[in-house]
Each structure stands twice: as structure tokens, then as C-alpha cells.
Amino acid sequence: MGVIKTITANCKDCYKCVRHCPMKAIRVAGGHAEVIDELCVVCGTCVRMCPQGAKQVMDSKGAVRELLASGARVVLSVAPSFVASFAGVSPGAFAAAARGLGFAGIFETAEAAQYVARRSLATVDDCAAPAIATSCPVVVNLVERYYPHLLEHLIPVASPMVAHGRMLKSCMGSDVKVVFAGPCIAKKDEAGREETFGAIDAALTFQELQDLFEQAGIDPIAAASTATMPTIVAPGGADCADCA
Ligand code: SF4
Ligand code: SF4
């Protein structure tokens, strides 16, 4: 699934993205720089380097709006770095703002990280040493596409995002829709992978979430703070092995 496209109308053919792509995953086709999806690890370098804003990241806002309008219970799994991206917004105010968008619940992705860490420790001996953690989808993409001889070093455990999606659905019901929000565009790619399919229904960047707030006329800083974010009590207790 391609996450990054070139807006040809904005592209000035400077080829800065071609020069800076660490994987040489951009070719010139029809005079414009075009990402080769099969070679791209979704590191985001070309998006940052393009002076014209011509590298467009997959927009998930429409999919999230549709989910929220569908009548389904939709919950938000939010990466812990929201405190940096939404500076000055308390966790309670953030949760209140997200509820204002229509989310039925807001949970921190970090609550799955403890299960991922525990499962990683338990399975680290199952893979070749040195073990490579799989929490970052860019690292996984890099190994799969460029260093396949290192595949046996990948720890066979889901990322916190995927584990949290599974955990939320396991605890709240399989009909619940889970939207992830975080700082990284590679999570969009990870959410669409065949082996993680169904865990996360849509992945937003924090910028997209901010856009949704603005379009809905919601100012998270001004949102009345509710209680602290709730915590899911995993049915598997301390192990929750099925989620990670
Ligand atoms: S850096 Fe941007 S403007 Fe330059 S070639 Fe790449 S997409 Fe086009
Ligand atoms: S996201 Fe990274 S790997 Fe993919 S085309 Fe851009 S710079 Fe290259």
C-alpha cells in the first residue's frame, strides 16, 4: 500500500527528494519524482525534504470521519507523545476534545507497551541473536526489503499499536473500531499490512488529528478537562499473550 504520493502539480522537479531518499526508492517518471512503493520503507525523509510540499502522505481523515459517522463505537488509541504534539493540553482535556469529535473512548497506546515488553523478553530467545525489536515499522520494512537475511533476528511480537488495537477489541468487543493517532506516518503502512489487518481501522498523524479538531471547531487547550484517561483491563491479566 503506497503511503506517499507526489502531487505533480506542486512538484518543481528539483529532485531533492531523489537525492535524499536513503533507499533510492524514488524514480523520475514522466518528468516527476515518483515513489517506488516496493522499495520505500516509509521513513518520511522525502516528505520533510521537499521544499514544495509536493510529497503527499495518505490522508486518513476521511476514513475516520466515516467511521465516526457510521454509528459504530469508535475508540482512539493515542501514542504517549501526544503530550509533546499537543503542548499545553492536559490528558483530561485531550480526552474531552477527542470525545467531542465522537470517539467513545480514548486510551493510551502505552498501556500495550508493557505487554509487548513482557512478550519480547519471553520470546527473545526464539529468534537469532542479536534480536531486533519490531516496535518500529520502518525498521521492519528495512529488514524485510533490504536485509532479508536478518529476518530471523526480528522478535516475533506485535508493535504496541497493533497489540493495543487487538487488546481494545478483545476487551471491548470485536465490533469496536480502533483509530490510532501518533507522530509517525509509517503507522499508516503498518495498519494496512496483511498480518496486522483488522487490529487498527485507521491511523492518523497528530497533524491530521489537529486538523480534525480545527475543522470541528474544537480547541483542545480550551476543552474542559475530564477525568484522566481510562485504562483497559486486559482479559489475559498480566500476560495478554493473544494481543502481543
Ligand atoms: S523534492 Fe519535491 S519538488 Fe523536488 S522533485 Fe521531489 S517532489 Fe518534486
Ligand atoms: S519515505 Fe523514505 S524510503 Fe520512502 S521514498 Fe521517501 S525518503 Fe525514500
Side-chain angles (χ1 to χ4, degrees):
M1 177 173 56
V3 170
I4 301 169
K5 302 289 179 208
T6 303
I7 308 171
T8 53
N10 293 0
C11 176
K12 299 298 182 194
D13 304 328
C14 67
Y15 304 135
K16 196 172 180 183
C17 57
V18 178
R19 292 193 295 277
H20 283 85
C21 173
M23 312 320 301
K24 304 300 175 205
I26 303 177
R27 67 183 163 211
V28 178
H32 296 297
E34 173 185 279
V35 174
I36 307 168
D37 293 334
E38 302 75 38
L39 300 181
C40 173
V41 296
V42 203
C43 68
T45 301
C46 58
V47 179
R48 288 193 302 277
M49 295 308 298
C50 175
Q52 302 298 327
K55 283 285 184 272
Q56 184 178 50
V57 177
M58 173 197 290
D59 188 338
S60 303
K61 296 193 295 293
V64 172
R65 281 196 207 93
E66 282 182 21
L67 282 173
L68 291 170
S70 69
R73 275 190 306 159
V74 186
V75 298
L76 183 67
S77 168
V78 59
S81 55
F82 80 91
V83 292
S85 292
F86 293 87
V89 180
S90 70
F94 180 87
R99 282 187 181 278
L101 285 177
F103 287 103
I106 297 88
F107 303 91
E108 284 202 57
T109 318
E111 65 183 346
Q114 61 180 316
Y115 298 107
V116 170
R118 194 172 292 119
R119 288 286 296 161
S120 295
L121 272 177
T123 58
V124 72
D125 291 333
D126 295 345
C127 59
I132 301 174
T134 51
S135 291
C136 172
V138 176
V139 169
V140 174
N141 287 341
L142 188 68
V143 170
E144 287 182 343
R145 292 168 197 184
Y146 292 91
Y147 302 97
H149 62 287
L150 296 179
L151 281 171
E152 60 181 343
H153 293 259
L154 292 177
I155 298 176
V157 174
S159 72
M161 176 188 79
V162 170
H164 200 216
R166 291 173 179 161
M167 184 187 297
L168 288 164
K169 293 190 180 200
S170 174
C171 295
M172 302 180 75
S174 58
D175 60 319
V176 163
K177 304 296 182 188
V178 180
V179 173
F180 171 80
C184 174
I185 63 172
K187 290 299 188 185
K188 293 174 181 285
D189 179 64
E190 184 188 14
R193 288 175 67 108
E194 200 176 321
E195 58 272 37
T196 63
F197 191 75
I200 298 294
D201 295 284
L204 292 169
T205 61
F206 282 140
Q207 182 57 58
E208 287 176 304
L209 184 58
Q210 177 62 38
D211 291 345
L212 287 176
F213 283 142
E214 287 177 11
Q215 287 160 9
I218 295 171
D219 179 0
I221 291 182
S225 180
T226 56
T228 54
M229 286 192 204
T231 301
I232 279 286
V233 178
D239 289 328
C240 199
D242 291 343
C243 300

